Amino acid sequence: MTLIEKIIRTEGHLIDSGLLRRVFDTVISDGGRFEVLDFTIGRNNDEFSRARIKINADDVVDMNTILLKLSTLGCVIDKEEEITLVPAPADGVVPPDFYSTTNHETFIQLHGTTIKVDKLRMDGVIVVGRDDVGLVTASVRKLRDVRKGDSIVVGLSGVKVKPEYVERSRSDFRFMSAEVSTERKVRLAVDRVAELINDRNKKVVTVAGPVVVHTGGAPDLARLIENGYIQALLAGNAVAVHDIEADLYGTSLGLDLQTGRPVEMGHRNHLRAINEVRRAGSIAALVDEGLLTSGIMFSAIRTGIPFSLAGSLRDDGPLPETVTDMNQAQDDHSRILEGADIVLMLSSMLHSIAVGNMLPANVLTICVDINPSAVAKLKDRGSLQTIGIVTDVGLFLQLLASKLLDHPSVPI
Ligand SMILES: NC(=O)c1ccc[n+]([C@@H]2O[C@H](COP(=O)([O-])OP(=O)(O)OC[C@H]3O[C@@H](n4cnc5c(N)ncnc54)[C@H](O)[C@@H]3O)[C@@H](O)[C@H]2O)c1
């Protein structure tokens, strides 16, 4: 049996971020062995630690699996290698050994220089080209947007990934993702979120599920939009439908929002809401007619923040604004997310995971869900930068709006 050997390098907050342990675990769990050749520890808060590690595996396949996983942890092969480029064989098709991107900051090595990869997102490929003045560019593209002849990065050589290191300032959130939060912890978390989104230089995008409306959180989310704390809204057809139903008929999925009791013939109300919007021509037209006077969609339209409503198989209607071409909906979401600093994900597991995939890792995501496994699932999909707050979303929005708008100086 041939023993394969590679030497890799890594640097960063290797100890307190747990990165070094993850590197070792990865090598061992994929059947490899490691030997630390050099290790320099960062001597203060800012200084990085650096390590050179020898990896052994029994065959090429094992070694490639290990190296692929280690590259997502920021490890690079010791000697400076260059990338390999292969032309795309057809529109929407890439060479079989294409490099698949992560959401972490990525660099490629070409002609002796290091080039930063832009338009970062997970599950894309790297296309290398030239800009208008002839400089080499590298950007992430979705498979379907690749054109025949595009230069695609293949294999792992020359690609360097810089993972997000767990920041010390985020440590107070860590406990919340693992367990059901007590009321006290929720209040602390709301306080911290209020601090984060109070920074008017930050672009805050929210992803909302219909539970926001069912739990009575819509008026508070609308207040946050009206007061400029939310700069864009991503949702599905259902959120808009139930939000409009709540304003027009006082129900959400046929339940009275004040009493929580079913209203006679209330099950028709969401269809009546859809019908009203379709009659008017659009949600904006219903606002213009003076018939839609409150709620999330009303505030989004009145303030002019961009929104995107993505369709789904379960949709009734849909509303005229709902985009049922899924490629178009993905592109609309991505465009709205450009430049986002914080994404507030409110009780919509599938939608949040989809949005998480579109984001670079340096975007802070705050996921509010009553089920701890929803937060865990987001992290498992690679959105490690997620802060989880396990609580009822209606309560969360009420506390957040109250903290920011009614009692800004009072600790919660
Ligand atoms: N739910 C609907 O009525 C409906 C109807 C048509 C289409 N859709 C579409 O399907 C997709 C996913 O739908 P979804 O977001 O409803 O389902 P989802 O399963 O993706 O997410 C719902 C999440 O809300 C959480 N949750 C439940 N109660 C909560 C509470 N009180 N506080 C905080 N979190 C709570 C759940 O744990 C779950 O993670 C969306 O695109 C949506 O537009 C939904």
Side-chain angles (χ1 to χ4, degrees), residues 280-312:
S282 66
I283 306 172
L286 203 62
V287 173
D288 282 345
E289 287 181 2
L291 294 177
L292 185 68
T293 57
S294 72
I296 303 167
M297 297 314 300
F298 170 76
S299 294
I301 284 163
R302 193 160 74 166
T303 56
I305 64 164
F307 64 84
S308 167
L309 303 177
S312 83

Side-chain angles (χ1 to χ4, degrees), residues 239-296:
V239 178
V241 168
H242 298 306
D243 174 59
I244 295 166
E245 176 194 342
D247 179 63
L248 297 184
Y249 312 113
T251 59
S252 176
L253 255 187
L255 297 185
D256 187 309
L257 274 166
Q258 300 301 325
T259 63
R261 297 218 175 88
V263 174
E264 207 182 319
M265 301 297 279
H267 66 278
R268 291 174 66 246
N269 284 357
H270 74 285
L271 292 178
R272 287 171 70 201
I274 293 166
N275 196 41
E276 264 306 276
V277 179
R278 291 172 77 92
R279 178 202 56 71
S282 66
I283 306 172
L286 203 62
V287 173
D288 282 345
E289 287 181 2
L291 294 177
L292 185 68
T293 57
S294 72
I296 303 167

Side-chain angles (χ1 to χ4, degrees), residues 208-212 214-215 235-239 242 253 310-316 346-352 368-375 389-395:
V211 182
V212 168
H214 304 327
T215 54
N237 186 65
V239 178
H242 298 306
L253 255 187
S312 83
L313 204 55
R314 290 156 62 192
D315 289 345
D316 286 319
L346 305 172
S347 61
S348 184
M349 186 165 64
L350 300 175
H351 219 114
S352 300
V368 182
D369 201 290
I370 207 149
N371 183 351
S373 73
V375 178
I389 301 173
V390 180
T391 189
D392 174 83
V393 72
L395 172 70

